[in-house]
Amino acid sequence: FFQDASSADIRKAYRKLSLILHPDKNKDENAEIQFRQLVAIYEVLKDEERRQRYDDILINGLPDWRQPVFYYRRVRKMSNAELALLLFIILTVGHYAVVWSIYLEKQLDELLSRKKREKKKKTGGRSTDEAKLAALDKNERVLDKPQWHDLLPCKLGIWFCLTVKALPQLFQDARQLYVEYKETKMKAKEDALAKAELETLQKEKKPKVKKPKSEFPVYTALESSVYIPSYDHGASIEEIEEQMDDWLGGRNRTQKKK
């Protein structure tokens, strides 16, 4: 059939070929394989999306290794372990390349700075400049080439070993911090209780302060004829008030008699 065949034509052709290539009617040795291939072809052609892909491959051919589809199809068939291993290898190679690029960049900076210093030495300015250049020469960094232990797997292994070694110390520090926190909390609680007890004791033992008796000033009479009531200077206010009431009552009575 042709590429522009309809789905009905494909179905009719499949039914005719299935009757011919069925293992019960086909006596060929590869009858079962041929029938399976026919079913697979029909499964592709009856679906519109799969048929478009098939037509695209017929026109453009299979994907080349330079196309992303080529790698996508191979990666899709990998298991999770294989994908993890592949990613780990890619990261290791990338990390090693980055380490080498950093080393080469530092080397280039060192060469450029050395050339600048040599130019300054040739042009002149010795006294202070020579001292500065000598100090710079002494302080030159020693650049080490990247080694195998700079690779990502080795770095991860070293980090893991150091972490395992530091775990007991970390647990000990955490325990000590917890004990100190507990002690400070208990101390604060005890201080609060002691303070409360002190306050209660102070309230109980607080003496009652007696109010001092107010002293009244002693008046001297200008005229001898005026009657002055006599009262005790140490008497209370109530007693004085009673004396005043009695004196006023007696005075009123004398006035009435008069």
Side-chain angles (χ1 to χ4, degrees):
F1 58 90
F2 300 99
Q3 287 185 10
D4 56 350
S6 63
S7 56
D9 296 335
I10 292 165
R11 202 178 299 112
K12 284 178 187 177
Y14 169 70
R15 285 175 183 171
K16 284 179 185 178
L17 288 170
S18 62
L19 291 170
I20 296 165
L21 298 175
H22 199 274
D24 294 340
K25 294 184 179 180
N26 189 6
K27 302 299 178 184
D28 195 0
E29 293 178 357
N30 299 324
E32 191 174 350
I33 295 167
Q34 288 174 1
F35 185 73
R36 283 181 181 176
Q37 286 176 350
L38 175 66
V39 172
I41 290 164
Y42 177 67
E43 289 292 327
V44 170
L45 294 176
K46 76 176 183 179
D47 189 5
E48 290 293 330
E49 190 177 350
R50 289 182 179 180
R51 187 174 175 182
Q52 283 179 4
R53 287 184 196 169
Y54 178 70
D55 293 339
D56 186 54
I57 289 168
L58 286 175
I59 295 164
N60 301 319
L62 289 167
D64 193 11
W65 65 272
R66 288 169 290 187
Q67 295 179 357
V69 182
F70 178 81
Y71 300 101
Y72 172 71
R73 286 180 179 175
R74 275 153 184 76
V75 168
R76 192 174 58 178
K77 294 175 185 177
M78 287 183 176
S79 63
N80 292 331
E82 289 172 343
L83 279 170
L85 181 65
L86 180 65
L87 282 170
F88 190 71
I89 290 164
I90 291 166
L91 287 171
T92 303
V93 173
H95 179 257
Y96 196 61
V98 168
V99 170
W100 265 101
S101 65
I102 291 165
Y103 169 74
L104 292 172
E105 187 181 359
K106 286 179 180 178
Q107 284 277 36
L108 184 63
D109 290 341
E110 202 67 36
L111 283 170
L112 291 170
S113 61
R114 201 174 291 165
K115 283 181 180 179
K116 283 180 181 179
R117 282 187 295 230
E118 286 174 0
K119 281 182 181 179
K120 283 181 180 179
K121 279 181 183 179
K122 286 177 182 178
T123 50
R126 290 186 175 179
S127 57
T128 53
D129 292 337
E130 279 183 1
K132 286 181 182 178
L133 291 169
L136 285 168
D137 289 333
K138 284 179 184 177
N139 294 327
E140 276 184 0
R141 291 176 297 174
V142 179
L143 299 174
D144 296 326
K145 286 185 180 180
Q147 302 295 330
W148 60 270
H149 53 77
D150 293 326
L151 290 170
L152 186 63
C154 298
K155 289 282 184 187
L156 287 172
I158 291 162
W159 175 79
F160 182 73
C161 291
L162 291 171
T163 306
V164 170
K165 281 183 181 178
L167 275 175
Q169 186 66 32
L170 284 170
F171 282 123
Q172 194 174 355
D173 293 342
R175 191 176 176 184
Q176 191 174 355
L177 283 168
Y178 178 71
V179 169
E180 286 176 0
Y181 170 73
K182 212 169 182 181
E183 285 177 356
T184 51
K185 204 171 181 182
M186 287 290 290
K187 198 174 179 182
K189 202 173 181 181
E190 287 173 0
D191 291 342
L193 285 168
K195 196 175 180 182
E197 286 176 2
L198 265 171
E199 285 177 356
T200 51
L201 284 169
Q202 282 176 0
K203 282 178 182 177
E204 286 174 1
K205 290 181 179 180
K206 196 172 181 181
K208 292 182 179 179
V209 181
K210 291 182 178 180
K211 290 182 180 180
K213 292 180 180 180
S214 56
E215 294 181 358
F216 290 92
V218 180
Y219 295 97
T220 55
L222 297 175
E223 295 178 3
S224 58
S225 63
V226 179
Y227 174 75
I228 300 166
S230 61
Y231 58 87
D232 188 7
H233 297 294
S236 63
I237 296 167
E238 289 84 1
E239 291 173 355
I240 293 165
E241 283 178 353
E242 285 176 3
Q243 288 179 13
M244 290 293 291
D245 290 337
D246 292 340
W247 177 71
L248 288 169
R251 191 180 177 189
N252 289 332
R253 274 190 240 109
T254 53
Q255 282 179 358
K256 281 180 183 177
K257 282 179 184 178
K258 285 179 183 180

